[in-house]
Amino acid sequence: MEKIYVTGFGIITSLGAGTADTLESLHHRKSGIGPLRWLESMHSHLPCAEIPFSTDELRCMAGVPKEQMITRTSLMGIIALGEALEMAGIRSKNSLNPVLISGTTVGGMENTEKYFLRMLTPDKTYDDYILSHDCGVCTQLIADHYGGFDMLSTLSTACSSAANALIMGSDMIRTGRTSIAVVGGSECLSKFHLNGFNTLKILDKEPCRPFDDTRAGLNLGEGAAYLVLESEASVKTRGVKPLCLVAGYGNACDAYHQTASSPEGDGAVLSMTKALKEAGLEPGDIDYVNAHGTGTPNNDESEGKALMRVFGTNSVPPVSSTKSYTGHTTSAAGSVESVISILAMLNNFLPVNLNYKNPMEMLSFRPVTDEKPPRPIRNVMTNSFGFGGNDTTCIFSKI
Amino acid sequence: MKKITAYCRITDRQVILNGKEPDIAFSGEPGSSRLTEIYRYLDAGYPKFHKMDNLSKAGFLASEMVLRALDYDRETPDGSTSVVFANKSASLDDDKRFQATINPDNYYPSPSVFVYTLPNIVTGEVAIRNKIHGETSFFILEDFDAEKMHTFIEWAFSSPGINRVLCGWTEYLDNHCDVLVMMVEKESPKGMDYNILNINQLYLN
Amino acid sequence: MEELILELKKQIIEALNLEDITPDDIDTNAPLFVEGLGLDSIDALELIVLMEKNYGIKLEDPGKSKEIFKSVATMAEYIEKNRTK
């Protein structure tokens, strides 16, 4: 099967902008979760993981002129995409014609929420923001900043969006439709989904505690991350240094409930098994699992049981959830956590699962508390499970 | 050659299953009531239907008719079927309903409404009803586009072990229903050829 | 209390979209969850919203609400004691 290489990636989350800041936070066990700074919500008591820059600051960092209408989601995307393209040695307005596949659900909603009451008045100043509300437009604004993309696609499957974007990009390379696919996602916080998750009572009023017996919910975060995927032929032609391989991936439907996971993690078992099969790997070959690990009572039990079913009760590899650092970045989680998993693999360390104290008795394994891996990290797995039972697993391998 | 082995078209004016109009007694009420009338006609015995938002109801009903026509076994877990839908309004119909519950003057956010503020939940509902464990995905397009849909349905087939894709266009906004759901099978002796021309024909007629 | 129970049944039917059910179909003392009406976790959350919206009762912890939402009877009892609307 056609090999797919990762030749670049970029990331921006509550841990900071870029892979260097991200790595530093992971090594220093520094979480990005804290009180709300930018989003004007009445739920100011809920811990969230906002990017530590205002929208104006993001605009400066992205190099987008003041007059240009743009959304926070797109600005984050532009910054993360810039780092990915730079790492892969792809210039703006290039002749390589890559495709861009981006996951988002909120899109430009954060602006629309702020300005829609003003849009209802005779004041026309904010009317244009309605044009940036759409998810597809968010992707367009990110792509147009750099130019040169052959095709754009926007995926919206909730918390598995960015992971599914990776699957789509990989499949496009495998079927010869493109030789370079830039994949990932971007999502900023909005009142709409903060209120929504709050009404589902799955937000923790404290910083989240994935895989802890006292866990009480998730913390929402915002972020963007993109990966540049390339065919072997493209890597050779461009003479670029590949960073790792996309070894395999799988998507399956849990088919249990709209928002909750099945008690034994059936969908997760299917997606992990599919990914392993496609990668031609045995469960014992996986050296680290970056779990979906939201910190909700339901997910961590369900995913924990699924991990035991796939890897064997006594042979679950090191597992951690980095949502204790970045919060749950929803549509961007799949790519944010893929980048973190790859960073862990390339730098041979295990991201520690923050805020863990109390073991979950029904699970045979405990999350990572020591950065030092028991053996060199050669293969990493990352899970992203979306509402609708949309479960995705990706595996990356060292070259 | 892949085949479209069954299809269902639901619009504001018509319901068509495999070229025929089922004899449904419509009162003439648009929107949600009309969807409930189709549900009653089907006698599906699935009270969870009433909790769904309009997009999920519409996609569910069309899928239900297609799967019934194919005598689909909904009791056995099925990992070889994928569900791939698309529309242009995403979950906007339900988004508006949810927005109304977070009005500062009448602030009671509704969890059951929020659940449906994601367009792909309809694929989840169909999967739950029919124990479908294959891949599920949802695309947002500018408008009905048979060529784009053909691309991502083909993509769904490229996954190992997938023999059937339940797919189509599930658009619902402000009492306006525009749905085409098809079952496309990798190998089947029956059905019409699966190609862009036929997808367009089913949609336009 | 009888009036409250009838009112509550109508409100539950509306809030949870139980279209095929009338107040007469709901046994006041039957379990609401798992058996009986077979409500699920999202329904439980909607009942919490119902308590606040219609009776001014704020329930923060879904876990503690299990006893209150056991049946229509237990709900009505709790409302009688704690309503602010």
Side-chain angles (χ1 to χ4, degrees):
Chain A
M1 191 142 63
E2 166 84 63
K3 281 202 175 121
I4 298 169
Y5 290 100
V6 177
T7 53
F9 46 82
I11 185 170
I12 180 169
T13 65
S14 60
L15 302 183
T19 52
D21 280 357
T22 306
L23 255 179
E24 191 175 319
S25 295
L26 292 169
H27 278 310
H28 287 106
R29 309 190 188 190
K30 205 168 130 223
S31 171
I33 295 166
L36 278 174
R37 282 169 73 183
W38 314 119
L39 187 71
E40 289 159 15
S41 164
M42 61 193 265
H43 297 296
S44 49
H45 59 287
L46 290 169
C48 291
E50 286 178 306
I51 286 171
F53 306 107
S54 68
T55 303
D56 282 340
E57 283 168 326
L58 290 175
R59 196 185 266 275
C60 279
M61 288 159 68
V64 171
K66 270 203 168 91
E67 328 68 72
Q68 190 190 330
M69 177 201 60
I70 196 150
T71 65
R72 188 172 172 86
T73 299
S74 294
L75 287 169
M76 287 156 40
I78 286 170
I79 294 166
L81 179 57
E83 187 184 15
L85 295 175
E86 168 96 35
M87 206 187 282
I90 294 176
R91 292 199 167 67
S92 301
K93 295 189 171 44
N94 58 82
S95 56
L96 296 166
N97 298 319
V99 307
L100 175 65
I101 304 165
S102 186
T104 189
T105 303
V106 168
M109 207 191 295
E110 177 250 353
N111 268 343
T112 324
E113 282 176 347
K114 259 199 278 206
Y115 301 124
F116 78 88
L117 286 177
R118 276 176 263 197
M119 289 180 206
L120 300 175
T121 69
D123 179 0
K124 299 274 154 221
T125 323
Y126 299 95
D127 280 10
D128 280 353
Y129 276 102
I130 199 69
L131 298 172
S132 63
H133 178 94
D134 175 74
C135 292
V137 169
C138 269
T139 307
Q140 184 93 54
L141 289 168
I142 296 168
D144 285 351
H145 188 80
Y146 296 100
F149 288 99
D150 183 36
M151 186 201 100
L152 305 180
S153 191
T154 306
L155 277 182
S156 191
T157 58
C159 310
S160 54
S161 300
N164 287 338
L166 186 141
I167 292 185
M168 184 176 179
S170 300
D171 282 343
M172 287 188 76
I173 294 173
R174 287 222 160 107
T175 55
R177 279 177 163 77
T178 188
S179 52
I180 308 180
V182 184
V183 302
S186 181
E187 194 105 290
C188 77
L189 276 185
S190 76
K191 284 187 268 198
F192 189 100
H193 76 287
L194 181 61
N195 277 289
F197 275 78
N198 190 44
T199 202
L200 287 176
K201 304 244 181 276
I202 50 176
L203 295 180
D204 197 338
K205 295 187 176 69
E206 305 294 319
C208 64
R209 304 181 284 292
F211 296 110
D212 186 286
D213 201 48
T214 68
R215 69 201 183 281
L218 59 97
N219 306 133
L220 283 174
E222 55 179 10
Y226 290 96
L227 298 96
V228 180
L229 309 182
E230 282 191 64
S231 67
E232 192 160 17
S234 175
V235 165
K236 286 203 171 99
T237 311
R238 293 206 308 125
V240 68
K241 179 170 178 266
L243 301 165
C244 67
L245 276 159
V246 176
Y249 40 83
N251 172 276
C253 189
D254 197 30
Y256 173 76
H257 187 271
Q258 303 91 340
T259 55
S261 299
S262 59
E264 302 299 313
D266 294 335
V269 169
L270 286 170
S271 67
M272 286 191 274
T273 307
K274 269 190 192 186
L276 283 165
K277 191 171 176 194
E278 187 162 296
L281 292 172
E282 293 299 321
D285 295 323
I286 300 295
D287 304 304
Y288 168 63
V289 177
N290 183 296
H292 185 58
T294 54
T296 63
N298 170 253
N299 178 83
D300 293 1
E301 179 173 337
S302 170
E303 187 177 9
K305 286 185 178 162
L307 286 163
M308 286 162 62
R309 285 168 66 187
V310 169
F311 291 98
T313 310
N314 298 314
S315 13
V316 176
V319 175
S320 72
S321 165
T322 50
K323 289 186 169 72
S324 46
Y325 293 85
T326 61
H328 189 355
T329 53
T330 54
S331 302
S335 53
V336 161
E337 290 162 22
S338 289
V339 169
I340 288 175
S341 301
I342 293 172
L343 284 173
M345 181 169 65
L346 297 179
N347 292 278
N348 206 47
F349 78 100
L350 298 171
V352 162
N353 193 110
L354 297 179
N355 308 330
Y356 166 75
K357 280 200 190 80
N358 309 283
M360 287 170 65
E361 291 308 324
M362 84 275 295
L363 299 184
S364 61
F365 66 94
R366 307 291 169 243
V368 169
T369 49
D370 181 353
E371 208 186 71
K372 189 149 178 275
R375 62 183 197 219
I377 303 175
R378 294 208 49 86
N379 302 294
V380 293
M381 173 187 274
T382 169
N383 288 332
S384 292
F385 305 145
F387 282 175
N390 193 302
D391 294 348
T392 301
T393 300
C394 301
I395 298 175
F396 302 97
S397 297
K398 254 198 177 142
I399 297 168
Chain B
M1 171 100 227
K2 295 189 190 77
K3 294 270 172 50
I4 299 171
T5 52
Y7 75 95
C8 177
R9 181 95 173 92
I10 303 179
T11 65
D12 297 334
R13 288 172 303 118
Q14 271 187 318
V15 177
I16 299 175
L17 174 64
N18 294 336
K20 299 202 178 82
E21 273 192 72
D23 190 16
I24 304 173
F26 285 120
S27 63
E29 286 288 320
S32 193
S33 308
R34 186 175 153 77
L35 294 175
T36 303
E37 284 164 351
I38 301 172
Y39 170 78
R40 299 236 181 275
Y41 162 80
L42 287 175
D43 197 18
Y46 196 66
K48 285 183 195 180
F49 170 84
H50 300 299
K51 297 176 190 287
M52 295 179 200
D53 75 315
N54 292 324
L55 168 62
S56 295
K57 281 179 179 172
F60 173 90
L61 290 169
S63 302
E64 185 77 359
M65 286 200 264
V66 162
L67 293 172
R68 269 198 202 183
L70 293 169
D71 243 324
Y72 184 81
D73 173 10
R74 77 164 77 92
E75 295 311 316
T76 310
D78 174 10
S80 63
T81 301
S82 286
V83 184
V84 181
F85 291 150
N87 75 11
K88 70 176 180 189
S89 301
S91 56
L92 188 55
D93 191 78
D94 193 61
D95 294 354
K96 288 161 77 167
R97 278 185 67 211
F98 180 69
Q99 186 68 38
T101 70
I102 56 173
N103 189 331
D105 300 329
N106 190 31
Y107 183 78
Y108 295 104
S110 168
S112 62
V113 175
F114 179 69
V115 160
Y116 292 96
T117 58
L118 288 166
N120 68 297
I121 299 295
V122 57
T123 66
E125 290 288 9
V126 170
I128 292 168
R129 163 69 160 170
N130 300 290
K131 292 197 169 65
I132 293 175
H133 290 282
E135 297 182 358
T136 58
S137 206
F138 200 102
F139 288 83
I140 315 297
L141 303 177
E142 223 173 312
D143 233 311
F144 180 86
D145 186 326
E147 197 175 328
K148 288 207 171 86
M149 285 168 64
H150 185 269
T151 303
F152 54 73
I153 295 165
E154 282 294 289
W155 170 44
F157 276 110
S158 73
S159 288
I162 298 299
N163 300 321
R164 288 184 295 197
V165 180
L166 183 67
C167 53
W169 180 256
T170 52
E171 166 68 15
Y172 195 102
L173 181 62
D174 294 337
N175 290 334
H176 168 61
C177 179
D178 181 17
V179 168
L180 167 65
V181 169
M182 310 171 278
M183 177 65 93
V184 180
E185 302 194 39
K186 220 174 202 171
E187 327 229 318
S188 173
K190 295 186 284 187
M192 68 179 79
D193 289 348
Y194 165 69
N195 53 45
I196 296 170
L197 183 67
N198 279 339
I199 297 173
N200 266 322
Q201 291 231 352
L202 294 181
Y203 181 74
L204 294 168
N205 288 332
Chain C
M1 186 63 129
E2 280 307 312
E3 219 178 278
L4 171 62
I5 287 176
L6 177 60
E7 199 54 42
L8 189 53
K9 285 181 182 177
K10 285 185 187 159
Q11 289 166 354
I12 289 172
I13 288 170
E14 195 186 321
L16 306 186
N17 291 307
L18 304 175
E19 272 223 14
D20 294 329
I21 295 189
T22 68
D24 287 336
D25 294 328
I26 304 178
D27 180 338
T28 310
N29 295 299
L32 285 172
F33 291 87
V34 185
E35 322 147 52
L37 278 182
L39 305 182
D40 74 5
S41 55
I42 303 286
D43 294 320
L45 297 172
E46 279 295 346
L47 289 180
I48 292 177
V49 175
L50 186 155
M51 293 291 257
E52 190 179 346
K53 203 172 185 173
N54 299 348
Y55 302 105
I57 299 170
K58 270 196 168 150
L59 293 166
E60 288 301 332
D61 186 351
K64 294 203 178 93
S65 316
K66 264 192 179 148
E67 283 307 308
I68 302 167
F69 293 140
K70 225 174 182 166
S71 65
V72 174
T74 55
M75 275 184 80
E77 235 179 270
Y78 191 85
I79 291 169
E80 274 275 290
K81 291 198 184 115
N82 296 285
R83 63 190 299 177
T84 63
K85 273 192 192 177

